[in-house]
Amino acid sequence: MALMARHGAAAVTPCQSALNRPFVAGRQGNSEKSRDVKASAFGVLAPVLNVVTPQVAFNIISVLMVPVYFLMVGWPRAKLTQGIVKSSVLTLGLSALYVAVLCHSFSDGLLSILGDFVKAPSFGIEAIKGGAANLSKPTFTALAWVHLLLLDFVLAREVFLDGLEKGIFTAHSVILCFMFGPTGLVSHYLTGKMQGSPALATTS
């Protein structure tokens, strides 16, 4: 996947594959070199990275988060829901997926891209535009997606647990966290105000 992103190669049909056999063989050789680089760069993590590709991480987190949010919105007081959300296992598992995709991103030149951004003459919108073009690469797209979903879940989890503790209705705020991140925090704070509870405030 990372190699296809580098060369911008499109999927080929069996006929095209046969016609372009030397080109495909070259790509396979480059792929082996890429795996060797990852093995030397990440050592003991290399076998894990061969399994947890950016595509795999993308699929896992996309499929996993929907039922979790469904439980948080529809059955907030169910033992199953509270057990899943209160446990750190889910958050740590998602974080591990993020680390895996981040390692793949380093292998695909993330540090170089960040360096170009830092060396940009200005830090305005124009500087961001150049970096945004790299999201067309599957590895970086997966990194951004996992990054956003993980942060949104951290916000939704905070809202959900705070609502359980203080008796604040959270379904709409959890949905907003899922869709628009920080807006869920604002919604939860305002909901707490309307219900007369100090949302997101530490209780003594």
Side-chain angles (χ1 to χ4, degrees):
M1 179 182 296
L3 184 62
M4 291 180 65
R6 287 198 192 95
H7 295 283
V12 295
T13 63
C15 292
Q16 291 172 321
S17 178
L19 290 173
N20 299 320
R21 200 177 300 275
F23 173 68
V24 173
R27 285 174 53 199
Q28 289 173 341
N30 290 336
S31 179
E32 291 174 359
K33 291 180 182 178
S34 176
R35 285 196 295 268
D36 291 341
V37 169
K38 286 182 180 180
S40 61
F42 300 109
V44 295
L45 290 179
V48 177
L49 296 179
N50 288 335
V51 176
V52 186
T53 64
Q55 182 66 58
V56 168
F58 182 96
N59 291 341
I60 289 176
I61 194 169
S62 298
V63 172
L64 183 62
M65 295 316 299
V66 173
V68 172
Y69 276 101
F70 190 69
L71 289 172
M72 292 168 69
V73 171
W75 291 274
R77 299 200 173 276
K79 289 183 178 180
L80 175 62
T81 305
Q82 294 189 29
I84 292 174
V85 178
K86 288 181 178 180
S87 172
S88 61
V89 173
L90 179 59
T91 305
L92 290 175
L94 297 177
S95 299
L97 288 177
Y98 180 79
V99 170
V101 181
L102 186 62
C103 289
H104 284 286
S105 299
F106 284 140
S107 294
D108 284 353
L110 179 61
L111 286 178
S112 176
I113 293 170
L114 293 176
D116 291 341
F117 178 76
V118 171
K119 290 184 289 187
S122 65
F123 287 95
I125 296 297
E126 293 301 321
I128 296 175
K129 277 185 180 179
N134 291 298
L135 289 178
S136 60
K137 294 185 177 182
T139 303
F140 300 139
T141 302
L143 181 67
W145 182 250
V146 175
H147 187 107
L148 290 174
L149 285 187
L150 177 56
L151 291 183
D152 287 348
F153 176 68
V154 170
L155 294 178
R157 182 176 184 268
E158 175 68 19
V159 166
F160 179 81
L161 296 178
D162 189 69
L164 283 180
E165 179 185 350
K166 299 166 185 173
I168 302 173
F169 183 73
T170 60
H172 60 299
S173 299
V174 167
I175 292 173
L176 284 174
C177 284
F178 176 62
M179 299 182 68
F180 306 112
T183 61
L185 287 179
V186 177
S187 171
H188 182 60
Y189 178 80
L190 295 176
T191 303
K193 283 287 187 182
M194 290 189 296
Q195 292 186 209
S197 298
L200 303 175
T202 302
T203 57
S204 56

